[in-house]
Amino acid sequence: MSGASRTSEVLEITTTAGVVQARQQVRALAQQCRLSLVDQTKLITAASELARNTLVHGGGGTMTALLLEERGRRGVRLAFADRGPGIADVDLALTDGWTSGTGMGLGLSGSKRLVDDFVLDTTPGAGTTVTITKWGR
Amino acid sequence: MADKHVSERLIGLLSVRGEDLGAEWAERVTGSLGGRVARAEVERELREIYTALVAALADGSLDGHGEAFGEVRALLTELSRNRALQGFTPTETAVSVFALKQVLEPSLAGEDGDVEAYLEFAGLLDTLGLFTIEVYARTREELISAQAEQLLELSTPVVKLWDNVIGVPLVGTLDSARTMVVMEKMLQALIDTGSEQAIIDITGVPTVDTEVAQHLLKTVVAARLMGAECTISGIRPGIAQTIVALGIDFGDIVTKATLADALRHALRRTGNTVSRTAPQAGAR
Amino acid sequence: MSERVPILRIRQVLLVSIQTDLDDQAVLLLQDDLAQAVVDSGAHGVVIDITAVEIVDSFVGRMLATIASLSRLLDAGTVLVGMRPAVAITLVELGLSLGGVRTALTLDKGLRMLEDDHAERGHEGIAPDVAAGA
């Protein structure tokens, strides 16, 4: 009963349209598990940042979405995976204002603040996976 | 294999003594509830559970968590929820299951009794009894969190102080969750009323911690992003010291000593002027 | 295939109302179109209405800040109107301040804001645009 999860959906993110699709899919899931409006907005925004990272820095990848149910509360878990160059200095990448490209340097650090759980798994040369979770209240 | 035998013997016993057992069971349960649930109601509940129990045993299983006992657990869930909502104790809830053990004891544990079957059955009833307590606890938890939410709604009013000026008087200890609710309600009220000025008055708040202070700051910044101005009033000396000691920077956020000062500031910002005239005749 | 956001002109003000979930290319396209429109029209203000926008991420945030800076260089003010509370809270949490972008609760208040500071800078108020026909 605890930790039971439903079917997962996998979305390819290879174009900017993929980023829009990711937002729309996450919105549907967030509504399904009745996140508050503010929590929905935070989750969709975080997903948008991470989907764009996957596309721009990872050269494209996937978003795997999962609805969670545990101890009577529901949540959404999203995993963004790419096979790009990876991140050499994780601490630096999670610092506000640090940017490797053209962004504002808030993608990773900012989206971490928007969710309840944030796991960054990266191997230089082999790719990056960022997994985030947001729980309903 | 052994399970199969035991459950068959149990079915035999439960079926043969069905009527007697049912009556005695209902008797014990009704007694322990002090007459707060009608006998007929108890009998109906127990008869359903009894039927489901026999059906589950007929499946040859003695595992209370197993699939065969799904129906039994569903009925127990309903019973436990009702007991919890009606204010009965966990004991008064679990007794519905444990009483059956006592009822069966004489016939199973006696001289020529079936000790093996009794022990197996006692184990099964323990599992089901604990299950009722779990459901009971979960129901109470849900009740508490629902009440906490209602309290949150009640304790955070947003009031209109003047045309285009709203106020949020906060009283009592602020925690992170409550501050967040206040934040959202106030920002929505800005839109609903078209107010460009908001005042958060914390005269009634004894202390703030870092997290709450940060939330207040974020509220002010969020209001600004929406095109409104937010003033914080009624900061007690103690809280001011905390804020300084914690090293939280209130930056260019407007703070006023009293709600009156904050209102005067807000009125000036909305283009109103406040002036004093001689009291009118007849006015006290 | 990115869609183009229409830029409306009301007297001396350019109005952009974002109604759909824009992809990044559409956002950049809007930034370019708007800069061009400010130059072409000689407008003294830009109002961006985001009443219908459900999320603003750092990419859109950067676009908004850039438009504000660009139009300031071109002697036009920018006002962002209609931000939803959930969007504002999320932006604060994200750490985006939208430095320099002015905001107003509603379109009406935003237009008045532009009118006021145009008058302050010594120009006449919003008058029927005689020169625009050129």
Side-chain angles (χ1 to χ4, degrees):
Chain A
M1 186 137 176
S2 71
S5 50
R6 314 260 185 80
T7 49
S8 58
E9 295 171 57
V10 180
L11 176 77
E12 298 275 338
I13 303 169
T14 49
T15 60
T16 53
V19 178
V20 176
Q21 265 181 309
R23 286 199 290 259
Q24 284 162 357
Q25 202 179 91
V26 173
R27 174 178 300 122
L29 286 173
Q31 284 168 353
Q32 217 175 314
C33 74
R34 288 192 216 96
L35 290 185
S36 74
L37 186 59
V38 172
D39 284 343
Q40 279 182 34
T41 308
K42 286 182 179 175
L43 181 66
I44 300 166
T45 308
S48 182
E49 299 290 346
L50 295 174
R52 185 177 298 107
N53 275 355
T54 300
L55 178 66
V56 175
H57 303 300
T62 57
M63 176 184 87
T64 308
L66 203 63
L67 267 182
L68 304 172
E69 196 155 356
E70 186 183 293
R71 291 160 169 267
R73 60 179 192 165
R74 300 215 267 178
V76 181
R77 177 164 295 159
L78 305 169
F80 297 85
D82 66 55
R83 300 195 157 276
I87 302 168
D89 189 336
V90 174
D91 289 338
L92 184 64
L94 282 169
T95 310
D96 270 356
W98 181 85
T99 170
S100 63
T102 51
M104 296 185 86
L106 290 168
L108 277 182
S109 56
S111 46
K112 186 178 180 185
R113 283 192 294 269
L114 295 176
V115 295
D116 297 320
D117 191 46
F118 181 100
V119 180
L120 176 65
D121 186 11
T122 182
T123 312
T128 304
T129 301
V130 180
T131 309
I132 57 173
T133 311
K134 187 105 191 152
W135 292 104
R137 278 189 210 154
Chain B
M1 274 305 170
D3 273 9
K4 187 102 195 165
H5 267 92
V6 172
S7 46
E8 267 168 17
R9 294 206 293 273
L10 279 171
I11 294 170
L13 194 88
L14 288 171
S15 312
V16 172
R17 291 201 46 211
E19 282 299 306
D20 294 357
L21 269 182
E24 207 185 325
W25 190 14
E27 188 67 44
R28 277 181 186 269
V29 174
T30 314
S32 69
L33 296 179
R36 279 179 290 162
V37 178
R39 163 108 196 199
E41 173 70 11
V42 172
E43 268 175 10
R44 187 191 58 78
E45 283 172 350
L46 297 185
R47 198 176 311 119
E48 282 174 6
I49 294 172
Y50 189 84
T51 312
L53 195 60
V54 173
L57 286 169
D59 256 20
S61 165
L62 277 168
D63 174 16
H65 295 298
E67 217 174 281
F69 285 87
E71 173 69 14
V72 177
R73 286 198 302 272
L75 289 166
L76 287 176
T77 300
E78 193 192 327
L79 181 138
S80 305
R81 286 192 64 88
N82 288 338
R83 295 282 193 277
L85 292 173
Q86 288 158 0
F88 287 96
T89 66
T91 307
E92 287 165 334
T93 304
V95 76
S96 301
V97 174
F98 290 130
L100 183 59
K101 215 199 281 191
Q102 294 167 342
V103 172
L104 275 180
E105 210 175 278
S107 45
L108 281 167
E111 206 136 289
D112 46 21
D114 191 339
V115 178
E116 191 197 357
Y118 176 71
L119 286 177
E120 291 277 0
F121 196 61
L124 170 66
L125 288 180
D126 287 346
T127 305
L128 295 176
L130 288 174
F131 176 77
T132 62
I133 293 177
E134 260 172 45
V135 174
Y136 177 93
R138 207 182 315 136
T139 308
R140 298 296 283 210
E141 266 169 35
E142 284 167 13
L143 208 63
I144 290 168
S145 73
Q147 284 171 346
E149 211 158 283
Q150 286 168 4
L151 213 59
L152 214 57
E153 289 292 314
L154 279 177
S155 61
T156 53
V158 177
V159 295
K160 177 177 171 176
L161 293 175
W162 207 267
D163 286 341
N164 296 326
V165 182
I166 57 169
V168 187
L170 293 177
V171 178
T173 308
L174 285 180
D175 61 12
S176 198
R178 187 170 162 217
T179 316
M180 236 134 79
V181 171
V182 175
M183 179 166 168
E184 292 173 31
K185 260 181 104 170
M186 190 201 80
L187 297 177
Q188 189 56 49
L190 289 173
I191 305 245
D192 296 344
T193 63
S195 301
E196 280 169 336
Q197 291 289 328
I199 299 169
I200 302 178
D201 183 71
I202 57 170
T203 311
V205 178
T207 56
V208 295
D209 59 16
T210 319
E211 213 174 331
V212 169
Q214 296 286 8
H215 277 308
L216 287 176
L217 278 179
K218 286 176 190 166
T219 312
V220 177
V221 179
R224 205 176 277 169
L225 277 175
M226 290 168 56
E229 196 188 348
C230 185
T231 308
I232 298 179
S233 71
I235 301 180
R236 291 158 167 240
I239 293 183
Q241 282 192 14
T242 313
I243 290 172
V244 173
L246 291 171
I248 299 164
D249 184 12
F250 264 55
D252 52 351
I253 287 166
V254 184
T255 54
K256 295 286 172 194
T258 66
L259 180 57
D261 291 339
L263 181 59
R264 194 173 299 124
H265 170 80
L267 287 175
R268 198 163 43 233
R269 298 282 291 166
T270 51
N272 291 287
T273 48
V274 186
S275 62
R276 199 183 293 269
T277 55
Q280 286 179 6
R284 200 159 52 92
Chain C
M1 258 295 287
S2 298
E3 56 186 310
R4 266 191 142 87
V5 182
I7 299 172
L8 309 175
R9 183 174 174 195
I10 308 168
R11 298 186 182 168
Q12 285 294 74
V13 172
L14 297 178
L15 171 66
V16 176
S17 186
I18 302 176
Q19 297 292 333
T20 53
D21 192 350
L22 300 177
D23 70 21
D24 292 358
Q25 270 147 15
V27 170
L28 292 175
L29 208 57
L30 172 61
Q31 184 176 311
D32 294 345
D33 286 355
L34 206 48
Q36 192 61 47
V38 172
V39 173
D40 292 349
S41 67
H44 66 60
V46 176
V47 175
I48 303 172
D49 170 33
I50 56 166
T51 310
V53 173
E54 288 176 338
I55 73 142
V56 171
D57 60 12
S58 63
F59 195 82
V60 173
R62 189 165 60 111
M63 179 269 286
L64 294 171
T66 306
I67 288 175
S69 306
L70 278 175
S71 46
R72 203 175 305 129
L73 282 175
L74 300 166
D75 196 29
T78 302
V79 181
L80 186 63
V81 305
M83 187 186 291
R84 298 180 177 194
V87 171
I89 291 171
T90 303
L91 280 178
V92 174
E93 206 72 56
L94 195 60
L96 268 180
S97 60
L98 297 185
V101 182
R102 286 187 306 163
T103 53
L105 281 177
T106 61
L107 181 57
D108 185 56
K109 289 179 203 278
L111 286 170
R112 201 168 313 143
M113 198 183 255
L114 285 175
E115 205 174 316
D116 287 351
D117 53 61
H118 193 61
E120 246 170 56
R121 282 185 296 169
H123 303 282
E124 69 285 5
I126 296 178
D129 185 19
V130 193

